[in-house]
């Protein structure tokens, strides 16, 4: 059973930074892609950023220029560096991985941007 464990969420002021990390229980190159989604209260879950096995990156328009996704092949982690955070970035952030038709989700980590 694949496990994805997120860490790094918390409370930050607008304009601040946070770094999220997702640790996978197996080699991340076994997945077609991995990434981060988020869900704010009363809203649908949305894709934030993805990194494909080939290394190609995909970011939501709302975070371009502010968020950067990366991976650590040795530690089997996928990270999300979030800069210039805005109040509207407040959400539960979920790590996601896909292998074939199978999808895997972490338990989520809360990110709150507030003054």
């Amino acid at each position: 059973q694949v496990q994805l464990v997120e860490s790094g969420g918390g409370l930050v002021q607008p304009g601040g930074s946070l770094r999220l990390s997702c640790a996978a229980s197996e080699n991340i190159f076994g997945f077609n892609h991995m990434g981060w989604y988020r869900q704010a209260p009363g809203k649908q879950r949305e894709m934030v950023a993805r990194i494909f096995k080939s290394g190609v990156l995909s970011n939501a328009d709302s975070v371009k220029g502010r968020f950067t996704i990366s991976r650590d092949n040795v530690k089997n982690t996928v990270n999300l560096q979030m800069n210039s955070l805005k109040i509207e970035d407040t959400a539960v952030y979920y790590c996601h991985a896909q292998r074939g038709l199978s999808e895997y989700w972490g338990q989520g980590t809360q990110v709150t941007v507030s003054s």
Side-chain angles (χ1 to χ4, degrees):
Q1 181 70 18
V2 174
Q3 291 187 334
L4 303 174
V5 180
E6 302 103 335
S7 60
L11 173 64
V12 64
Q13 292 185 339
S17 299
L18 280 176
R19 182 178 175 87
L20 304 183
S21 184
C22 171
S25 60
E26 55 185 75
N27 191 321
I28 61 175
F29 279 100
F31 302 110
N32 299 107
H33 57 81
M34 295 185 69
W36 292 90
Y37 285 68
R38 67 185 180 187
Q39 187 166 19
K43 294 188 177 181
Q44 289 188 330
R45 192 173 295 189
E46 62 175 359
M47 190 275 290
V48 175
R50 287 186 297 184
I51 181 166
F52 290 81
K53 188 175 182 178
S54 62
V56 171
L57 308 180
S58 175
N59 290 348
D61 288 342
S62 60
V63 305
K64 283 181 179 177
R66 300 189 300 122
F67 292 10
T68 303
I69 189 170
S70 63
R71 65 189 176 196
D72 186 321
N73 305 333
V74 175
K75 296 181 179 179
N76 285 322
T77 59
V78 174
N79 307 303
L80 186 67
Q81 179 65 42
M82 304 186 294
N83 299 328
S84 301
L85 281 160
K86 304 176 181 180
I87 291 176
E88 52 263 41
D89 293 319
T90 296
V92 178
Y93 284 70
Y94 296 91
C95 182
H96 172 265
Q98 184 151 355
R99 180 169 57 203
L101 297 179
S102 298
E103 291 187 281
Y104 306 95
W105 294 93
Q107 80 285 355
T109 185
Q110 177 70 45
V111 171
T112 302
V113 185
S114 174
S115 56

